[in-house]
Amino acid sequence: MKKKLLLALALFMGASVVYAHGGNPCADNKKRAARAAAKTTMADPGEADYDVKHLRFDLSVTDTSIYINPSCLTTTAQVTAASMTDYVFELANTFIIDSARVNGITLPVTGTSSVRRITLPAPLPSGSMFTAKIWYHGMPPTGTGFFNGITHSVSTGGTHMVYTVSDPWVALNWWPCKQSVNDQADSVDMFVTVPQNVVDGSNGRLVNVDMTTTPGYWTYHWKTNYPIDYYLISIAVAKYSEYRSTLHFTGSADTMLIQNFLMDTATFNPLYKANFDSVGLMIDYFSSLLGRYPFWQEKYGMCFTTLGGGMEHQTMTTIGVTNTTTIAHELMHQWFGDHVTYRTWGDMWLSEGFATFSEHLYLAKFWSEEKARTHRMSQLSAALTKACGRSYITDTTTSDSLFTVNQYQKASIYINTLRYMAPHDSLFFKVLRQYQATHSFGNASTADFKAIAESVYGFSLDTFFNQWIYGRGYPIYRATWNQVGSTVYVKLMQSQSCPTYTNHFSTPVEVHLKAGSIDTFIKVYNSIDTQVFSFDWAQTVTNVYINTNVWTVMRLLGTVTKDATLSTGSIDRGNYRIQPNPARQYWQIDNLPEETALALVDMTGRVLWQGRSTGTTMQIPAEKLATGNYVLQLSGAVSDHVKLTHW
């Protein structure tokens, strides 16, 4: 759950937003304290025998109970197995199945658990299309917390509501489903019948509201033609007031609908409505960074509920808090999670990490870099609570193992580190745009994202992903500094929070030198546990800080203190020479003390070459290296690091 309530934006920075009438909300931050049954894949191998093409919901619900009145789910699918003998789906065993038909033939449904099975009269061959209709009704399983499937609640203002959250595996608590993140339905028609004057918010475009066919009831027809994962399908019903606006994309004649459903009560309006006005600015800004909002030809909206956070239902977030960082978080999911869905639950940091990262992107753009930095500091504090945590998930058996600070705050700062490592900041956002374009309306893994980042950056990211995403823990630093004349020395001493799994982190670290009101920030690459860096700076240093802008997940023990002896044993740069620099074939180094260890590392800290000085001229090979910057580390009785450039 997002904790910080921020004031609303009243800015019109680049995007014009035309506001109309009404109001309503929906929600995400899942992810705290709720438990789901253990599950790592589909409940039954038979679900892999078909590919879902279209879903039609004919639901009958009210805003006062989670009871599902007689309803029907129609699934159109294509056989992917060599032949399919059974149609297998999932539906909680508290529901009564009234009837079932496959290709128009009424057939019995077997299974006493949530796995339901229909044996077909004859096997369906690979590639054949079929339609399955399931009529059902009953009371869903009841529970508390975030992951219920379907929930009834009453707001503090007295508004009854029923809303759904299917993440991660509880869609079966309200509809007959196949729960596979790798099988998006190509399109969905959602027909929801509710008592008159009750409103339904759902995915896609609102096609029609039928107020006449069934006296006393209204039927809402929503339709999405974008691929959609099972856990992103939703409804939210309450006596909402619609609040819509039109976004005009910067630099384009294109527009899109923003359609929210809010509580029309004195306690909600206008206090919180202004926060929802910010979403148009956010969509326009995130589109400039990542590519056009993926579902712009349908809409984006939010349905407000009592949910303790938000859930990124495609085109219609369900949200229960009103602060703008949560609004930004859920909006970013439309790119990371909805447009490109993770390939496995283990890759979930690609969704939650980027959504959390977007919070300080939003703050830096619309508030100030200082507010964004403060927000990152709070994320770092949360990340440090998991000494042996890792962002890539290997235990995917419960919701508690999926939704932790390792996938949210810690992954967010790892993404910030990846940004810090970019040869140019523009290349970082090029990675994100290329990732979105390459895996548009599909699934992607950590390996897929890594491959794109390496291609754009132009160097290997093995070290980064092995230690930060797949590895455990984080580095712990003690640091000292000294200044002799115009040379500033900074000593970093690294230990690890989880040394059993990771015995060293090779990582960029930001060194912040302060001289009165003058600040300079230097990026260094820490590749050994005890390392001394030296800088030429004519100003008189008053303080040294580490990781001021929170580029790295790290814990600093105490403050950075001055050590008057620190220059002792360091190399005098006037005594040795490296030429040429930049170089094409090799760098030549002269006059180093004997037995000085040398290591050439790339900007990720990966060691490319090692050697040891004999006191004579040495050559460091360069001709097979990619164009870019490298660091030569010198250590032994003396220590230093030098930036080398290869062209």
Side-chain angles (χ1 to χ4, degrees):
M1 156 188 275
K2 308 302 181 291
K3 299 175 181 146
K4 193 170 182 180
L5 179 64
L6 301 179
L7 298 177
L9 287 173
L11 306 174
F12 292 85
M13 304 175 69
S16 59
V17 183
V18 180
Y19 297 104
H21 49 278
N24 169 30
C26 286
D28 169 25
N29 191 12
K30 345 184 190 349
K31 304 168 186 181
R32 302 288 195 260
R35 300 186 181 274
K39 181 179 173 71
T40 56
T41 59
M42 294 170 288
D44 188 275
E47 293 178 85
D49 288 350
Y50 60 90
D51 174 38
V52 176
K53 299 299 184 181
H54 178 261
L55 297 171
R56 175 182 168 129
F57 291 78
D58 289 279
L59 295 175
S60 179
V61 296
T62 73
D63 58 335
T64 58
S65 171
I66 62 173
Y67 187 86
I68 304 291
N69 294 307
S71 298
C72 180
L73 188 281
T74 304
T75 300
T76 302
Q78 185 173 29
V79 176
T80 56
S83 68
M84 190 175 85
T85 58
D86 299 271
Y87 172 59
V88 182
F89 62 94
E90 298 175 47
L91 182 67
N93 61 10
T94 57
F95 287 110
I96 296 171
I97 294 181
D98 301 304
S99 180
R101 293 180 188 173
V102 178
N103 289 341
I105 301 173
T106 300
L107 297 168
V109 180
T110 60
T112 57
S113 68
S114 60
V115 176
R116 309 298 185 103
R117 185 179 304 274
I118 299 174
T119 299
L120 305 177
L124 293 175
S126 178
S128 61
M129 301 294 296
F130 69 92
T131 299
K133 288 179 174 284
I134 307 297
W135 286 267
Y136 68 107
H137 73 279
M139 180 64 71
T142 58
T144 59
F146 200 100
F147 307 99
N148 290 333
I150 186 167
T151 298
H152 166 253
S153 185
V154 183
S155 74
T156 55
T159 301
H160 283 263
M161 66 193 72
V162 167
Y163 59 89
T164 62
V165 173
S166 297
D167 201 11
W169 314 295
V170 288
L172 79 171
N173 284 359
W174 66 285
W175 62 280
C177 58
K178 171 184 177 179
Q179 300 192 116
S180 167
V181 292
N182 292 291
D183 187 4
Q184 290 94 340
D186 295 342
S187 59
V188 175
D189 283 277
M190 177 68 73
F191 293 85
V192 181
T193 299
V194 294
Q196 64 182 10
N197 298 317
V198 173
V199 175
D200 170 57
S202 191
N203 315 97
R205 280 276 192 179
L206 181 58
V207 177
N208 181 52
V209 182
D210 180 353
M211 301 181 179
T212 59
T213 299
T214 307
Y217 292 89
W218 293 354
T219 298
Y220 288 79
H221 176 197
W222 294 86
K223 184 176 183 63
T224 180
N225 286 310
Y226 290 107
I228 184 170
D229 236 300
Y230 75 91
Y231 75 94
L232 299 173
I233 298 170
S234 69
I235 62 170
V237 298
K239 291 181 178 178
Y240 286 130
S241 178
E242 183 184 16
Y243 184 53
R244 64 163 60 198
S245 62
T246 300
L247 164 66
H248 298 264
F249 287 102
T250 297
S252 171
D254 293 335
T255 63
M256 67 166 280
L257 173 67
I258 300 173
Q259 186 178 26
N260 300 316
F261 295 100
L262 311 176
M263 310 300 186
D264 191 15
T265 64
T267 56
F268 191 91
N269 299 319
L271 180 62
Y272 301 128
K273 189 184 290 184
N275 285 15
F276 292 92
D277 289 346
S278 304
V279 73
L281 303 174
M282 296 180 192
I283 292 173
D284 195 60
Y285 175 53
F286 288 163
S287 293
S288 73
L289 299 178
L290 307 171
R292 176 72 63 85
Y293 168 71
F295 314 104
W296 68 278
Q297 292 180 308
E298 291 185 350
K299 72 161 187 314
Y300 182 66
M302 288 168 282
C303 292
F304 196 81
T305 67
T306 58
L307 186 68
M311 175 61 211
E312 64 273 13
H313 295 129
Q314 192 165 299
T315 74
M316 183 60 92
T317 286
T318 303
I319 201 162
V321 295
T322 57
N323 69 65
T324 47
T325 50
T326 302
I327 291 172
H329 178 111
E330 302 310 324
L331 173 61
M332 179 60 78
H333 271 306
Q334 300 299 307
W335 284 269
F336 287 90
D338 296 11
H339 182 226
V340 182
T341 305
Y342 32 84
R343 191 175 302 279
T344 71
W345 288 104
D347 299 303
M348 202 184 67
W349 73 274
L350 287 168
S351 176
E352 295 302 346
F354 275 99
T356 308
F357 173 76
S358 76
E359 297 169 22
H360 67 252
L361 281 182
Y362 152 74
L363 289 170
K365 172 67 174 178
F366 295 109
W367 290 85
S368 69
E369 179 52 47
E370 180 57 29
K371 285 189 178 294
R373 190 190 72 84
T374 299
H375 193 69
R376 287 195 298 273
M377 287 298 298
S378 68
Q379 292 178 347
L380 176 61
S381 295
L384 296 180
T385 62
K386 299 291 185 179
C388 284
R390 66 174 157 197
S391 289
Y392 187 84
I393 304 168
T394 55
D395 175 11
T396 60
T397 56
T398 69
S399 57
D400 282 353
S401 65
L402 292 176
F403 304 115
T404 76
V405 297
N406 299 315
Q407 288 69 53
Y408 286 74
Q409 293 91 339
K410 186 177 283 188
S412 170
I413 301 177
Y414 293 163
I415 293 166
N416 213 37
T417 306
L418 186 65
R419 181 181 184 181
Y420 194 47
M421 293 167 59
H424 304 286
D425 195 49
S426 62
L427 292 182
F428 169 76
F429 290 102
K430 182 179 179 180
V431 169
L432 307 193
R433 288 190 298 273
Q434 190 166 318
Y435 174 76
Q436 291 291 317
T438 302
H439 299 286
S440 177
F441 301 112
N443 299 81
S445 66
T446 300
D448 294 328
F449 180 79
K450 175 177 179 286
I452 290 173
E454 289 179 330
S455 174
V456 173
Y457 280 17
F459 53 78
S460 171
L461 290 167
D462 286 349
T463 299
F464 174 85
F465 280 87
N466 287 339
Q467 68 186 22
W468 291 124
I469 305 303
Y470 298 116
R472 293 180 181 268
Y474 49 81
I476 301 171
Y477 284 103
R478 289 179 293 116
T480 59
W481 68 275
N482 192 28
Q483 185 171 20
V484 179
S486 61
T487 303
V488 179
Y489 300 92
V490 175
K491 182 179 183 180
L492 297 180
M493 294 156 281
Q494 183 192 131
S495 58
Q496 298 77 39
S497 67
C498 194
T500 302
Y501 289 92
T502 308
N503 57 23
H504 177 76
F505 288 87
S506 293
T507 181
V509 177
E510 181 188 65
V511 175
H512 175 188
L513 305 182
K514 189 171 185 63
S517 61
I518 301 173
D519 298 88
T520 192
F521 297 87
I522 305 167
K523 184 193 305 182
V524 302
Y525 290 86
N526 175 223
S527 60
I528 56 177
D529 285 350
T530 299
Q531 195 164 7
V532 179
F533 302 90
S534 58
F535 317 101
D536 293 324
W537 207 43
Q539 305 295 328
T540 301
V541 175
T542 53
N543 289 101
V544 175
Y545 304 97
I546 303 296
N547 204 33
T548 301
N549 290 299
V550 197
W551 291 109
T552 308
V553 176
M554 54 166 281
R555 184 187 296 278
L556 181 64
L557 298 178
T559 58
V560 184
T561 58
K562 186 172 182 178
D563 177 4
T565 68
L566 187 54
S567 63
T568 302
S570 293
I571 296 173
D572 182 351
R573 290 195 178 183
N575 291 337
Y576 72 91
R577 181 176 61 178
I578 298 178
Q579 61 177 1
N581 190 23
R584 184 178 298 277
Q585 293 184 316
Y586 61 85
W587 296 277
Q588 181 170 301
I589 186 166
D590 300 298
N591 302 325
L592 269 181
E594 288 190 47
E595 293 302 308
T596 300
L598 299 96
L600 182 70
V601 301
D602 64 16
M603 290 309 193
T604 71
R606 185 168 61 108
V607 177
L608 305 175
W609 175 89
Q610 289 179 298
R612 188 171 294 275
S613 171
T614 61
T616 59
T617 297
M618 295 187 65
Q619 289 185 351
I620 302 167
E623 60 182 344
K624 294 184 179 180
L625 299 176
T627 300
N629 295 320
Y630 298 87
V631 175
L632 179 64
Q633 298 171 347
L634 305 96
S635 58
V638 294
S639 59
D640 198 1
H641 80 287
V642 182
K643 178 181 176 181
L644 302 180
T645 302
H646 176 248
W647 57 5

